[in-house]
Amino acid sequence: MVHQELLAIGRKAKQAARQLAFASTESKNNALLAMSEALLKNEQEILQANRFDVQAAEEKGIKKSLVNRLRLNLEGITQISKALQEVVALRDPVGEGEVWTRPNGLRIQQTRVPLGVVAMIYEARPNVTVDAAALCLKSGNAVILRGGSEALESNKILGRVIAEAAEESGLPSGCIQLITETNREWVQQLMRLNDYVDVIIPRGGAGLIQTVVQNATVPVIETGTGMCHAFVDRDADYEKAIPIVINAKTQNPGVCNALETLLVDEAIAEDFLRRMGQELQNHHVEIKGCPKTCAIMPYALPAAEEDWVAEHLDLILSVKVVANLGEALDHIYKYSTKHSETIITENYTRAQRFLREIDAAAVYVNASTRFTDGGRFGFGAEIGISTQKLHARGPMGLRELTTIKYVIYGDGQIV
Amino acid sequence: MVHQELLAIGRKAKQAARQLAFASTESKNNALLAMSEALLKNEQEILQANRFDVQAAEEKGIKKSLVNRLRLNLEGITQISKALQEVVALRDPVGEGEVWTRPNGLRIQQTRVPLGVVAMIYEARPNVTVDAAALCLKSGNAVILRGGSEALESNKILGRVIAEAAEESGLPSGCIQLITETNREWVQQLMRLNDYVDVIIPRGGAGLIQTVVQNATVPVIETGTGMCHAFVDRDADYEKAIPIVINAKTQNPGVCNALETLLVDEAIAEDFLRRMGQELQNHHVEIKGCPKTCAIMPYALPAAEEDWVAEHLDLILSVKVVANLGEALDHIYKYSTKHSETIITENYTRAQRFLREIDAAAVYVNASTRFTDGGRFGFGAEIGISTQKLHARGPMGLRELTTIKYVIYGDGQIV
């Protein structure tokens, strides 16, 4: 039996979505601006709730990097508020489309419409509450938010402030709803609420995402797990290769588009790895190497099978020497999570082969994997990076939060 | 534990998909032509297997309309063979895309690529075996086919003939595979074979589709259930309304885009339903009416709740008198399967409101719902009509069997 309160949230969201689907861009933008202001107006209350969450997390002994993701300060709230204004500036995809006329005179118009009700299940970062709500609202979707329990008090106040602001500005009640019940049974039921939820987007670690994929009957968009590889080919330009590896590994190691495994062509392994190793050590990167790597880099630790499989999300890099591009492709084929992969080479044919044969959301030549990001691709804010193939792949912006509908104008046509 | 033979099929499909992804359009077209010829060459063997299936079905006492769907004759085989040549003529979406350059010089190319491995689960019609395989192959996907057990012998020979022809023409072995095991456990396992299957497309009755939606962990594209409505507004032109209702109900009542429920504006109900009823009787359509309908049409049977919910797929029409457009929208909102809905009216504002507020794959003004079809929309052959919102909505052609990949050309860019 589904909890009555959860059903009520679902019903209310669906009711709101029915109206929100044809809200004008102007009214949605006004709501976003009202939300942006309301956050600043309530910043003290938000900080107070956040201090409560942070303290509780610290008392529970939660990992420092996670506590840092949870923490908000005045500057953080200002940033979240500004991010809402950036969503105002994004083009509204709803109502865009194309039209053609059939020989019988039927005019067929393919039009973008909202998905309906989006459910977001995410982990600690409280800014996701606001960012996700804003993108859903701008694309005409009602949203049901279910954040991590560590951020519950922060999310409660953020959710209440933005939902009230949206409603006061004239959008339907229920267009933004936060689940405050931490009972896990609710999440299980939310994933199977097909009558009320059109899509579910999990955002967080591999465990969360697999739980949703395995249990949801509502269509899921998988996001985020990034076991990213760089292959340094025998014809690589070291002046490109070394900065790219350092950037992809160290610029922000905790994110999904950071580098996890370096593959090096045997023909240059000895020379390249000596120079690369020096740089990696300068950047405090710990190395887990294959036997050949360890022979070249005495300071490397031997890599276990696990090191090729799972994201380190830390200053740790797995390194493997491969016979050639073919072996690199096979390794990536086996271990890739299909997020972002890069080859460093000056060889045209091998570059093209890598681009063609790698099956991933983003495949690079001579660039850092860290570019896989809605902003850096030029799409504006993103709700996540899809690593699946259906519906959306790579950075998901407003367009990916819509679907299409065929509108057909006739004057009596029959088959 | 997954059956070893099923795992082997999955692995082989994935292996084939990896190569098929960059097969040239020319080589795929050559395979399609070889398949087309091979069907004609083996027509006697196919007819023999089909006679076996038909006889077994008749002995089992299966409904005549289903036996007819199962039956093949020489003309049918010629049609299936010709359909393959029509797929040759369709534009290959693989490799199409757009490109833009970022301020830092990164060139980002969004390119269409195949989904990978498509699993089709379908019911009695043996032509689906060939049609689905052809569309998957042309779009660069390996396909695993699992047809209804009633068509097993027909499917076995069709599957073998086309798979051999494709392989002989040079495509990788395993690009077309048919599951001949009828154990239902295999279907359950196929739906959860996430390591090898990229998408699962069920095609058939509502029962089959719900089973897949409820049990699959592989992403699903729902197809087909069509509880289609026509609303005849007070300002309808009867010269359009009557032919459209007759066409949508009777031209082919067994298909998903056929009309199931007629809603009539109270203001014209008495007059319109008398004339409409006459025509429906002339076409041997049985009427299930609301109390008001039954009062106007004494030959109508009283409609049960079930009549508003489920597809008749037969010469039966549910008819309801509604107070106005608003009540019609509410009825459709409640009972629609989001396939195809039409309004018959000369009123501009009510037409626009219907188009805007109806949430369905296809929404019509003054035209028959029977137009919701890949061919009639101008897309060419379709693999199904999606009634869900993710990835594809409405008729699904070759493009909907692809995904995208971002290919990024750099010269050393870092974040």
Side-chain angles (χ1 to χ4, degrees):
Chain A
M1 274 295 293
V2 180
H3 288 282
Q4 284 305 317
E5 304 94 311
L6 181 61
L7 274 183
I9 289 174
R11 249 192 304 264
K12 200 170 170 191
K14 189 148 173 115
Q15 220 27 61
R18 196 177 164 187
Q19 289 176 260
L20 199 55
F22 31 89
S24 68
T25 305
E26 200 173 23
S27 64
K28 293 184 288 189
N29 284 344
N30 286 340
L32 289 167
L33 292 173
M35 288 155 63
S36 172
E37 276 175 39
L39 287 174
L40 296 182
K41 229 179 271 168
N42 291 277
E43 58 189 13
Q44 286 310 324
E45 217 176 333
I46 295 167
L47 285 179
Q48 198 182 331
N50 186 252
R51 271 193 298 270
F52 182 91
D53 283 334
V54 168
Q55 206 178 325
E58 283 172 341
E59 280 166 14
K60 266 200 238 163
I62 282 175
K63 221 169 102 179
K64 207 176 164 194
S65 61
L66 290 182
V67 174
N68 285 340
R69 285 184 180 207
L70 180 58
R71 196 188 308 273
L72 285 175
N73 54 24
L74 271 184
E75 197 197 325
I77 295 174
T78 309
Q79 269 177 13
I80 296 174
S81 167
K82 266 198 191 141
L84 287 172
Q85 293 168 32
E86 283 160 21
V87 175
V88 170
L90 294 178
R91 199 163 108 176
D92 183 354
V94 175
E96 293 189 343
E98 38 183 331
V99 65
W100 61 97
T101 304
R102 297 292 299 154
N104 64 358
L106 270 190
R107 196 149 45 86
I108 301 181
Q109 183 183 300
Q110 191 198 58
T111 313
R112 294 237 145 245
V113 295
L115 287 167
V117 177
V118 177
M120 288 284 305
I121 301 180
Y122 51 103
E123 288 175 343
R125 296 196 213 194
N127 64 309
V128 174
T129 303
V130 181
D131 294 349
L135 291 171
C136 288
L137 189 148
K138 175 80 182 230
S139 50
N141 296 289
V143 65
I144 299 174
L145 301 157
R146 207 288 191 177
S149 53
E150 300 79 13
L152 185 63
E153 294 306 318
S154 314
N155 287 339
K156 268 187 190 167
I157 172 77
L158 288 169
R160 183 169 61 75
V161 166
I162 60 175
E164 281 176 8
E167 202 177 323
E168 275 164 26
S169 87
L171 292 189
S173 162
C175 64
I176 301 171
Q177 292 180 90
L178 181 87
I179 293 181
T180 55
E181 173 62 54
T182 54
N183 183 342
R184 273 169 188 263
E185 216 177 82
W186 278 51
V187 180
Q188 290 292 331
Q189 294 180 350
L190 178 62
M191 293 185 214
R192 305 181 77 89
L193 215 57
N194 295 52
D195 284 346
Y196 301 113
V197 180
D198 292 286
V199 57
I200 197 152
I201 305 177
R203 209 171 136 174
L208 168 70
I209 289 164
Q210 275 315 304
T211 301
V212 176
V213 168
Q214 291 299 319
N215 294 290
T217 51
V218 172
V220 178
I221 301 181
E222 283 184 61
T223 66
T225 326
M227 182 67 209
C228 304
H229 300 78
F231 170 58
V232 179
D233 177 65
R234 61 190 63 186
D235 287 340
D237 176 350
Y238 292 6
E239 301 303 309
K240 294 171 187 163
I242 292 168
I244 287 171
V245 170
I246 293 297
N247 179 260
K249 180 69 257 179
T250 70
Q251 200 261 348
N252 191 356
V255 294
C256 60
N257 57 18
L259 183 65
E260 299 294 355
T261 297
L262 172 65
L263 303 170
V264 181
D265 191 325
E266 195 159 26
I268 57 160
E270 181 115 21
D271 179 38
F272 176 72
L273 282 181
R274 278 191 213 291
R275 290 170 61 175
M276 189 73 244
Q278 191 59 53
E279 282 296 320
L280 287 166
Q281 285 194 298
N282 292 347
H283 286 82
H284 315 291
V285 176
E286 186 182 303
I287 293 164
K288 303 281 194 88
C290 70
K292 283 177 187 161
T293 301
C294 291
I296 301 166
M297 297 171 152
Y299 42 86
L301 298 168
E305 173 68 12
E306 178 59 18
D307 291 307
W308 313 117
V309 176
E311 292 178 274
H312 299 301
L313 295 171
D314 207 341
L315 285 178
I316 305 170
L317 182 66
S318 304
V319 181
K320 184 179 175 156
V321 175
V322 292
N324 49 37
L325 171 58
E327 196 186 325
L329 289 170
D330 286 339
H331 181 97
I332 296 172
Y333 184 76
K334 187 166 172 192
Y335 295 108
S336 170
T337 56
K338 304 187 175 176
H339 190 299
S340 301
E341 316 291 355
T342 187
I343 184 174
I344 322 297
T345 189
E346 296 301 302
N347 181 285
Y348 171 82
T349 299
R350 286 199 293 278
Q352 292 298 332
R353 182 172 169 209
F354 188 87
L355 293 176
R356 194 176 61 231
E357 296 196 16
I358 290 289
D359 181 20
V363 199
Y364 294 83
V365 186
N366 294 340
S368 168
T369 54
R370 292 274 295 107
F371 283 104
T372 307
D373 170 281
R376 296 192 195 277
F377 271 20
F379 301 161
E382 68 184 28
I383 199 149
I385 293 173
S386 165
T387 50
Q388 69 171 38
K389 294 181 178 180
L390 277 200
H391 188 72
R393 205 175 192 197
M396 294 173 59
L398 292 176
R399 196 170 192 273
E400 284 68 33
L401 290 171
T402 63
T403 180
I404 53 162
K405 141 166 148 180
Y406 291 99
V407 166
I408 302 111
Y409 297 93
D411 51 11
Q413 282 85 347
I414 59 172
V415 168
Chain B
M1 274 294 293
V2 179
H3 288 281
Q4 283 305 316
E5 304 93 313
L6 181 61
L7 275 183
I9 289 174
R11 250 191 304 264
K12 200 170 170 191
K14 192 152 172 115
Q15 219 29 60
R18 195 177 165 188
Q19 289 175 259
L20 199 55
F22 32 90
S24 68
T25 304
E26 201 174 21
S27 64
K28 293 185 287 188
N29 284 345
N30 286 340
L32 290 166
L33 292 173
M35 288 155 62
S36 172
E37 275 176 39
L39 287 174
L40 297 182
K41 230 179 270 168
N42 291 275
E43 59 188 13
Q44 287 310 324
E45 217 176 332
I46 296 167
L47 285 179
Q48 199 182 332
N50 186 251
R51 270 194 299 271
F52 182 91
D53 283 335
V54 168
Q55 206 178 326
E58 283 172 341
E59 280 166 14
K60 267 200 238 162
I62 282 174
K63 222 168 101 180
K64 207 177 162 194
S65 61
L66 290 182
V67 175
N68 285 340
R69 285 185 181 206
L70 180 57
R71 197 187 308 272
L72 286 175
N73 54 25
L74 273 183
E75 198 196 322
I77 295 174
T78 309
Q79 269 176 16
I80 296 174
S81 166
K82 267 199 189 138
L84 287 173
Q85 294 169 30
E86 282 159 22
V87 176
V88 170
L90 295 177
R91 199 163 106 176
D92 182 355
V94 174
E96 292 189 342
E98 38 183 331
V99 67
W100 61 97
T101 304
R102 298 291 300 154
N104 63 358
L106 269 190
R107 196 150 45 85
I108 302 182
Q109 182 184 301
Q110 192 199 59
T111 313
R112 294 237 145 246
V113 295
L115 287 167
V117 177
V118 177
M120 288 285 303
I121 301 180
Y122 52 102
E123 287 174 344
R125 296 196 212 195
N127 64 308
V128 174
T129 303
V130 181
D131 293 350
L135 291 171
C136 288
L137 189 148
K138 175 81 181 228
S139 51
N141 295 289
V143 65
I144 299 174
L145 300 157
R146 207 289 191 176
S149 53
E150 300 79 13
L152 184 62
E153 294 305 320
S154 314
N155 286 339
K156 268 187 190 167
I157 171 77
L158 288 169
R160 182 168 62 75
V161 165
I162 59 174
E164 282 176 9
E167 202 177 324
E168 275 163 26
S169 87
L171 292 189
S173 162
C175 64
I176 301 170
Q177 292 180 91
L178 181 86
I179 293 182
T180 55
E181 173 60 56
T182 54
N183 184 343
R184 272 168 189 264
E185 217 179 82
W186 278 50
V187 180
Q188 291 292 330
Q189 295 180 348
L190 178 62
M191 293 184 214
R192 305 180 78 89
L193 214 58
N194 295 53
D195 284 346
Y196 301 112
V197 180
D198 291 287
V199 55
I200 197 151
I201 306 177
R203 209 171 135 176
L208 168 70
I209 290 163
Q210 275 315 303
T211 300
V212 176
V213 168
Q214 291 299 319
N215 293 290
T217 51
V218 172
V220 178
I221 301 181
E222 284 184 60
T223 67
T225 325
M227 182 67 208
C228 304
H229 300 78
F231 170 58
V232 179
D233 177 65
R234 61 190 62 187
D235 286 340
D237 176 350
Y238 291 7
E239 301 302 310
K240 293 172 188 163
I242 291 169
I244 287 171
V245 169
I246 293 297
N247 179 260
K249 181 68 258 179
T250 70
Q251 199 261 348
N252 191 356
V255 294
C256 60
N257 57 18
L259 183 65
E260 299 294 355
T261 296
L262 172 65
L263 302 170
V264 181
D265 191 324
E266 194 159 26
I268 57 159
E270 181 115 19
D271 180 37
F272 176 73
L273 282 179
R274 277 190 214 291
R275 291 171 60 177
M276 190 72 243
Q278 191 61 51
E279 282 296 319
L280 287 166
Q281 285 195 295
N282 291 346
H283 286 82
H284 314 292
V285 177
E286 187 182 301
I287 294 164
K288 303 282 195 88
C290 70
K292 282 177 188 162
T293 301
C294 291
I296 300 167
M297 297 170 153
Y299 43 87
L301 297 168
E305 173 68 12
E306 178 59 16
D307 291 307
W308 313 117
V309 175
E311 292 178 273
H312 300 300
L313 295 171
D314 208 340
L315 285 178
I316 304 169
L317 182 66
S318 304
V319 180
K320 184 178 176 159
V321 175
V322 293
N324 49 37
L325 171 58
E327 195 185 325
L329 289 169
D330 286 339
H331 181 97
I332 296 173
Y333 184 75
K334 187 166 172 193
Y335 295 108
S336 171
T337 56
K338 303 187 176 175
H339 190 298
S340 301
E341 315 291 355
T342 187
I343 183 174
I344 322 296
T345 188
E346 297 301 302
N347 181 285
Y348 172 82
T349 299
R350 286 199 293 278
Q352 292 298 333
R353 183 175 168 208
F354 188 87
L355 293 176
R356 193 175 62 231
E357 296 196 17
I358 289 289
D359 180 21
V363 199
Y364 294 83
V365 186
N366 294 341
S368 168
T369 53
R370 292 274 294 108
F371 284 104
T372 307
D373 170 281
R376 296 189 195 278
F377 271 20
F379 301 161
E382 67 184 28
I383 199 149
I385 293 173
S386 165
T387 50
Q388 69 171 38
K389 294 181 177 180
L390 278 201
H391 187 71
R393 204 175 194 199
M396 294 173 58
L398 291 176
R399 195 170 193 275
E400 284 68 34
L401 290 171
T402 63
T403 181
I404 53 162
K405 142 167 149 180
Y406 291 99
V407 166
I408 301 110
Y409 297 93
D411 51 11
Q413 283 85 347
I414 58 172
V415 168

